[in-house]
Amino acid sequence: MTATSDYDSGVKSTRPVAQSDRIFGSLTLAAAVVVLLVLLGVFASLVLGAWPAFKEYGLSFLWTAKWNPVTDKFGALAPLYGTVVTSIIAMVIAVPVGLGIAIFLTETCPRVLRRPLGIAIELLAGIPSIIYGIWGLFVFAPFMQSYIQPFLIDTLGHVPVIGTLFAGPPYGIGMLTAGLILAMMILPFIASLARDIFQTVPPMLRESAYGMGMTRWEVNRHIVIPHVRTALVGGIMLSLGRALGETMAVTFVIGNAHRISGSILAPGTTISAAIANEFTEATTPIYTSSLIALGLVLFILTFIVLAAAQWMLKRMKQKSGA
Amino acid sequence: MASMTRRKTVNAVMMTLSTGAAALGLFVLAVILLYLLYKGASALNLAVFTQDTPSPMEPGGLRNAILGSVIMSAIAVAIGTPIGILAGTYMAEYGRYAKLSKVIRFVNDILLSAPSIIVGLFVYQVLVVSLGHFSALAGSVALAILVIPIVVRTTEDMLRLVPDQLREAGLAMGWPRWVVIRTVAYKAAMAGIVTGVLLAIARISGETAPLLFTALSNNFFSLDLTQPMASLPITIFQFALSPYDNWQALAWAGALLITVAVLALSIVARLVTSKKEKH
């Protein structure tokens, strides 16, 4: 309840409610319930569709690496592994670069360029993922195959321990390529989110820090980032949610191989890529059900990540509101 | 405390890195867009708009796919916008202090960023399995589910920005609340809500995953909503992965069309709000 107004403060009004109001009020309530039902419906339909698969394979579906449509043996481990690995690669690259862009836009960037560059980043965040996918397939994968991957194999491939990560022939497509495309796709998203979050820091706080003689980096490192830490983590989780569920940017360049390879240069698959590629080709009911079970796993995974993200972003809103 | 020179060096290094990050990020994104423009523009001609998707190595265009995308997006907006606006109205007006609003806000934010392929799976189970075949209608419903959360969010946010004094003035006239909402609150929040709808259209016009197993695709011109319908994103997906040069060229043309449409919609959406702010 706000202090300035008692409008609809929950106090029972003595005013008779107009009949027309009751109708419109219930109409809006019904629409709101639809939103709720959609989410419940998504969950229920996935559970229902995944039921045959879980009945057949039990919970071991989650840690079985086999995926064989010929013998009808299915397990989620390979796509789950691919989803996690590509998302980690994407986050490791996109988070620091995105934060760098955000710091640049709020600190170093000449004032005249701030607005246009900020708008450009926001517009780029809206580019559909299929665009990144098609560019990845025709331009980036061949580039990786001819230049980056041979270089990685020749250098890092010979280093003990991490060498296995970069073993094998340069396919072009594969988990590293998919992770990099994913990074490019979520980069504008992270950058514009982080910039918005940085701008919530009160100018007074920055100015006091500068007044103390702190350098730009110190102000950002010790004042700005700690001040918005929770929201920043929330924003990063939100981007992680995107990366985990992204379909089109990945499907083009992942290679669609149901196998777990120690090398990040090898082809793999992700949950969403597996569903996108195989769903219309699934011939047996148990095959379809296994793909829906994959969808359920992805849904639960992103639900947890997104719920945590919301909780963190909300905490910051409450803090700045108080 | 670290010495002054050291602090200055660290500062210089880190700020250079952040400028470098910005340069790198913008460079990569510019390369993608310029390449898209180059490939797309060289494949673009009148036939793209006037002819249907061809067989391999035959001349043709994207007419059925463009039309399919427009039709399905239009239906999706027609379904999603009223539901979204009404739900947003509930959360900002009638149910502002209700527990239900809090729950729905949480659910809505989850839907806002849930993987779109999951929405496709849901609609497949509800509308494709039950009806026995893929249809444009199922595709539209899948897209509508993506429209709703965006419109709900902007409607609620915009209505909350309307000062309560305006509403109280309306109520003091003896109007019922729905008249106040319609004539006062909606009017004040109109620009923001329109922006939300435009952004929702921009979002769904490039969505591929939810259409894969709902609307499927169609190589022929079709206006039948109960049949599979072609769409730009799916056509791009199929043609790009094909080995045929003319299909790949059409995929680039389609990709350019989508990008231009999305950018134009986002820019118009911005203009709508910024124009309002000046008044």
Side-chain angles (χ1 to χ4, degrees):
Chain A
M1 198 191 313
T2 52
T4 52
S5 169
D6 287 336
Y7 178 69
D8 194 26
S9 53
V11 181
K12 263 261 182 286
S13 165
T14 48
R15 218 167 87 112
V17 180
Q19 182 70 26
S20 51
D21 229 2
R22 214 170 278 147
I23 295 171
F24 189 65
S26 353
L27 208 62
T28 62
L29 177 64
V33 171
V34 167
V35 176
L36 193 62
L37 288 182
V38 167
L39 190 82
L40 292 178
V42 168
F43 188 66
S45 81
L46 287 178
V47 169
L48 223 61
W51 189 249
F54 278 109
K55 215 167 105 189
E56 176 82 22
Y57 311 117
L59 273 180
S60 70
F61 175 78
L62 294 176
W63 51 84
T64 305
K66 255 197 209 96
W67 187 272
N68 191 337
V70 181
T71 58
D72 270 348
K73 287 270 173 285
F74 299 104
L77 195 61
L80 199 56
Y81 172 80
T83 302
V84 172
V85 169
T86 49
S87 297
I88 289 175
I89 296 173
M91 299 308 283
V92 163
I93 294 164
V95 168
V97 178
L99 289 184
I101 295 179
I103 292 178
F104 172 77
L105 282 176
T106 49
E107 295 282 344
T108 342
C109 184
R111 228 158 251 287
V112 262
L113 283 179
R114 275 184 201 185
R115 244 181 79 82
L117 279 184
I119 291 173
I121 295 270
E122 276 171 39
L123 288 177
L124 286 169
I127 301 272
S129 56
I130 192 166
I131 306 298
Y132 293 92
I134 183 174
W135 183 79
L137 176 71
F138 287 117
V139 185
F140 194 60
F143 176 74
M144 289 290 287
Q145 186 168 27
S146 341
Y147 299 102
I148 307 289
Q149 290 184 343
F151 172 75
L152 288 175
I153 293 165
D154 287 344
T155 52
L156 292 174
H158 298 303
V159 179
V161 189
I162 64 161
T164 50
L165 278 177
F166 303 99
Y171 291 100
I173 52 174
M175 288 196 286
L176 179 64
T177 311
L180 289 174
I181 290 284
L182 216 45
M184 294 174 203
M185 196 203 85
I186 57 173
L187 181 62
F189 185 69
I190 294 186
S192 68
L193 211 61
R195 187 196 61 147
D196 289 348
I197 292 172
F198 283 162
Q199 279 174 344
T200 62
V201 176
M204 191 74 92
L205 218 55
R206 276 172 204 271
E207 282 158 22
S208 322
Y210 280 120
M212 298 276 292
M214 286 174 114
T215 61
R216 262 191 184 152
W217 168 246
E218 285 166 344
V219 170
N220 278 288
R221 170 70 188 79
H222 299 293
I223 306 295
V224 175
I225 292 181
H227 186 79
V228 295
R229 198 178 41 219
T230 328
L232 214 51
V233 175
I236 291 170
M237 306 268 286
L238 212 57
S239 330
L240 176 62
R242 274 210 165 180
L244 287 172
E246 177 47 45
T247 312
M248 295 329 285
V250 172
T251 307
F252 279 106
V253 291
I254 186 86
N256 305 308
H258 278 273
R259 61 168 202 234
I260 297 171
S261 172
S263 169
I264 56 172
L265 302 186
T269 193
T270 67
I271 292 179
S272 46
I275 299 173
N277 268 307
E278 298 170 40
F279 199 78
T280 45
E281 291 163 15
T283 38
T284 56
I286 192 77
Y287 194 176
T288 307
S289 175
S290 300
L291 286 168
I292 296 176
L294 280 184
L296 180 64
V297 172
L298 176 65
F299 184 61
I300 293 173
L301 200 64
T302 47
F303 186 93
I304 294 169
V305 170
L306 292 175
Q310 290 226 4
W311 182 73
M312 285 169 173
L313 287 168
K314 203 152 105 197
R315 260 190 40 181
M316 133 123 167
K317 234 183 226 160
Q318 279 163 355
K319 207 171 84 181
S320 67
Chain B
M1 191 156 196
S3 77
M4 198 63 203
T5 14
R6 206 185 100 87
R7 289 174 53 207
K8 276 194 167 159
T9 318
V10 170
N11 179 55
V13 169
M14 295 314 288
M15 290 331 272
T16 314
L17 278 180
S18 100
T19 311
L24 175 75
L26 288 169
F27 173 74
V28 170
L29 296 169
V31 164
I32 296 178
L33 284 185
L34 287 175
Y35 192 81
L36 170 71
L37 190 65
Y38 161 68
K39 286 295 265 189
S42 57
L44 214 53
N45 52 45
L46 196 63
V48 168
F49 300 95
T50 55
Q51 294 178 20
D52 290 340
T53 44
S55 312
M57 304 320 291
E58 271 174 34
L62 294 167
R63 184 179 65 141
N64 51 342
I66 296 171
L67 199 69
S69 272
V70 171
I71 291 174
M72 286 193 281
S73 301
I75 298 174
V77 170
I79 300 173
T81 308
I83 296 178
I85 291 182
L86 286 174
T89 307
Y90 175 79
M91 286 154 71
E93 304 281 347
Y94 290 101
R96 190 184 289 196
Y97 300 97
K99 266 234 170 68
L100 182 66
S101 291
K102 272 191 185 150
V103 177
I104 289 174
R105 196 166 302 128
F106 172 77
V107 165
N108 192 63
D109 281 353
I110 296 276
L111 282 177
L112 201 59
S113 10
S116 53
I117 194 157
I118 300 288
V119 173
L121 280 180
F122 167 60
V123 175
Y124 170 82
Q125 303 226 69
V126 173
L127 282 177
V128 177
V129 172
S130 62
L131 296 178
H133 54 84
F134 300 100
S135 68
L137 204 62
S140 308
V141 171
L143 293 179
I145 292 178
L146 299 174
V147 169
I148 292 173
I150 303 174
V151 177
V152 169
R153 178 70 172 274
T154 38
T155 305
E156 196 207 349
D157 287 353
M158 290 304 133
L159 285 177
R160 277 172 176 269
L161 288 178
V162 177
D164 281 343
Q165 280 83 352
L166 284 182
R167 296 192 178 90
E168 283 160 0
L171 289 174
M173 304 282 288
W175 289 342
R177 281 181 70 179
W178 73 280
V179 176
V180 176
I181 292 170
R182 209 176 45 120
T183 54
V184 179
Y186 279 168
K187 206 162 192 179
M190 186 53 83
I193 296 174
V194 170
T195 301
V197 174
L198 287 172
L199 290 177
I201 302 174
R203 161 90 198 270
I204 59 169
S205 51
E207 276 292 349
T208 318
L211 295 175
L212 278 171
F213 22 83
T214 51
L216 206 67
S217 193
N218 195 334
N219 286 333
F220 305 101
F221 184 86
S222 161
L223 292 174
D224 189 348
L225 292 181
T226 61
Q227 291 303 314
M229 193 179 268
S231 63
L232 267 181
I234 303 281
T235 308
I236 294 172
F237 180 50
Q238 289 174 340
F239 281 15
L241 286 170
S242 78
Y244 311 113
D245 286 344
N246 69 324
W247 276 16
Q248 292 183 358
L250 280 175
W252 280 109
L256 180 63
L257 288 179
I258 288 188
T259 308
V260 168
V262 168
L263 288 179
L265 279 165
S266 322
I267 290 169
V268 171
R270 276 171 176 284
L271 290 178
V272 170
T273 3
S274 65
K275 213 171 175 186
K276 185 80 186 176
E277 273 162 12
K278 271 183 208 143
H279 282 296

